[in-house]
């Protein structure tokens, strides 16, 4: 192993105690078959963290497969290893076998099995086996608040960190393997940190984030190219969709510094909207002066009886709390979401009620 000096090694808190670290190292060493899983509708951090771990595991000569619950956006298809990702919704039997027979399962960017939706039951089953000692060893790497107690054999969960990929940078440092990190792995880690922070425009004020980036640059990443690959890949239809939603659909709630955009499946069909075309649109109304909260409510494309809520805020407005109280979801303070079985009309009514409950925080 080549030596690499992590400038942040001395300042970072330990992610794991010595015993956990020892166990983790031993489990990695002994594992022949490894799987990495993440949450439904994987975003850049979910893909970045699972693909980074897969690149790492493969570099150690292990068989490793990433299994995602559902499709991931087209703008992440270029990521190293993305073409080998197994989709649970397409190949559930193959994925079940893979997970049940793995020696080691990495659970990335999710703190509870339910976040994997259809893949949740087999993740729970593996976790049950893991705790009785006759299944895969399970390691969670996450940055969401309050991971499910007892889920996975080892939990490395750091809500103060900007992305699961940041947690993995620290873990690489802790394991003394930064010098061995490939450009592909570093590229995945940068992608996750970049996407979870809106290209370092929010949730990214901790100086150590930039020490992580410095380390990734030293591993050879091309950060400008990664930015373009992720953010400048819009289809003409996506540009038209943005125009339509901002012009015709954005509603500003009077006196609330709140914006609401809705999108139905009928509109999706009319406008030729593809999955992923809506990505990031929820952030746009926050560019309006004084805006504090932005919501994007859309009918679920695969299960139209469900409506999805996507919330973004600035400063102290707690999107995760609102989402947990009203929309059966959760997430982070400034970016959260949820999903309810209801009509669009009911969803909008529910959102208006939620906003009026939080009126004092929105003025
Ligand atoms: P997005 O708006 O991009 O779909 O989600 C933003 C964040 O909210 C996600 O990173 C995730 O942390 C959280 N989130 C989204 N949907 C749900 C959900 O249904 N349940 C929970 N607990 N969190 C969600
Ligand atoms: Mn994340």
């Amino acid at each position: 192993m080549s030596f690499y000096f992590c400038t942040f090694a001395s300042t970072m808190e330990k992610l794991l105690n010595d015993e956990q670290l020892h166990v983790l190292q031993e489990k990695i060493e002994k594992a022949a078959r490894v799987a990495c899983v993440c949450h439904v509708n994987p975003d850049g951090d979910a893909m970045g963290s699972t693909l980074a771990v897969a690149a790492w595991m493969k570099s150690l000569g292990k068989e490793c497969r990433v299994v995602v619950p559902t499709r991931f956006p087209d703008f992440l298809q270029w990521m190293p290893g993305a073409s080998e990702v197994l989709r649970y919704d397409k190949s559930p039997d193959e994925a079940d076998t893979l997970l049940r027979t793995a020696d080691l399962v990495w659970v990335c960017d999710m703190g509870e099995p339910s976040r994997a939706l259809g893949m949740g039951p087999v993740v729970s089953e593996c976790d049950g086996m893991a705790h009785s000692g006759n299944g895969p060893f399970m390691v969670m790497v996450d940055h969401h608040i309050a991971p499910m107690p007892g889920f996975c054999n080892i939990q490395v969960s750091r809500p103060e960190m900007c992305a699961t990929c940041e947690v993995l940078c620290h873990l690489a440092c802790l394991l003394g393997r930064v010098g061995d990190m490939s450009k592909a792995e570093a590229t995945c880690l940068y992608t996750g940190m970049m996407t979870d922070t809106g290209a370092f425009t929010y949730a990214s004020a901790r100086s150590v984030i930039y020490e992580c980036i410095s380390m990734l640059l030293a591993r050879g990443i091309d950060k400008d190219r990664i930015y373009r690959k992720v953010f400048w890949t819009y289809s003409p239809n996506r540009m038209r969709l943005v125009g339509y939603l901002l012009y015709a659909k954005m509603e500003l709630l009077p006196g609330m510094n709140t914006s609401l955009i809705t999108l139905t499946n009928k509109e999706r069909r009319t406008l030729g909207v593809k999955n992923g075309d809506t990505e990031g649109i929820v952030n746009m109304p926050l560019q309006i002066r004084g805006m504090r909260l932005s919501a994007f409510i859309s009918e679920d494309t695969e299960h139209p009886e469900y409506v999805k809520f996507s919330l973004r805020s600035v400063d102290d407005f707690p999107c995760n709390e609102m989402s947990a109280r009203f929309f059966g979801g959760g997430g982070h303070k400034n970016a959260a979401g949820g999903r309810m079985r209801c009509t669009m009309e009911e969803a909008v009514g529910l959102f208006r009620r939620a906003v009026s409950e939080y009126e004092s925080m929105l003025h």
Side-chain angles (χ1 to χ4, degrees), residues 177-227:
R177 50 170 293 274
V178 166
D180 298 325
M181 186 186 286
S182 67
K183 179 179 170 185
E185 182 185 343
T187 296
C188 294
L189 293 178
Y190 185 78
T191 304
M193 291 171 66
M194 182 188 77
T195 51
D196 259 20
T197 57
F200 307 102
T201 57
Y202 50 82
S204 50
R206 289 164 44 259
S207 62
V208 73
I209 291 172
Y210 301 90
E211 296 188 37
C212 290
I213 296 173
S214 166
M215 178 274 280
L216 297 173
L217 287 166
R219 303 314 308 154
I221 64 162
D222 183 340
K223 76 183 232 330
D224 299 350
R225 186 161 170 273
I226 295 171
Y227 181 92

Side-chain angles (χ1 to χ4, degrees), residues 45-213:
D45 190 31
M47 294 312 297
S49 52
T50 48
L51 290 171
V53 172
W56 168 26
M57 295 291 110
K58 283 181 185 164
S59 76
L60 299 175
K62 300 172 192 312
E63 234 179 83
C64 183
R65 204 73 197 272
V66 171
V67 190
V68 299
T70 52
R71 65 167 287 149
F72 56 95
D74 287 346
F75 63 80
L76 299 175
Q77 300 282 352
W78 62 272
M79 291 182 74
S83 62
E84 290 153 44
V85 169
L86 186 65
R87 268 178 60 180
Y88 193 86
D89 57 347
K90 283 198 165 172
S91 318
D93 296 337
E94 188 184 350
D96 280 344
T97 308
L98 212 133
L99 292 172
R100 287 179 184 133
T101 59
D103 304 311
L104 175 63
V105 174
W106 291 83
V107 177
C108 300
D109 205 34
M110 68 172 197
E112 51 185 302
S114 65
R115 288 287 290 131
L117 225 62
M119 190 169 73
V122 70
V123 172
S124 284
E125 182 193 317
C126 288
D127 191 43
M129 293 196 295
H131 282 95
S132 62
N134 60 3
F137 189 80
M138 308 263 293
V139 185
M140 178 210 296
V141 188
D142 188 34
H143 71 130
H144 293 92
I145 294 168
M148 190 171 120
F151 177 41
C152 295
N153 300 94
I154 291 183
Q155 295 191 349
V156 189
S157 184
R158 285 310 185 100
E160 77 276 17
M161 291 192 184
C162 70
T164 298
C165 285
E166 186 195 337
V167 184
L168 286 169
C169 287
H170 291 262
L171 190 63
C173 200
L174 193 60
L175 294 172
R177 50 170 293 274
V178 166
D180 298 325
M181 186 186 286
S182 67
K183 179 179 170 185
E185 182 185 343
T187 296
C188 294
L189 293 178
Y190 185 78
T191 304
M193 291 171 66
M194 182 188 77
T195 51
D196 259 20
T197 57
F200 307 102
T201 57
Y202 50 82
S204 50
R206 289 164 44 259
S207 62
V208 73
I209 291 172
Y210 301 90
E211 296 188 37
C212 290
I213 296 173

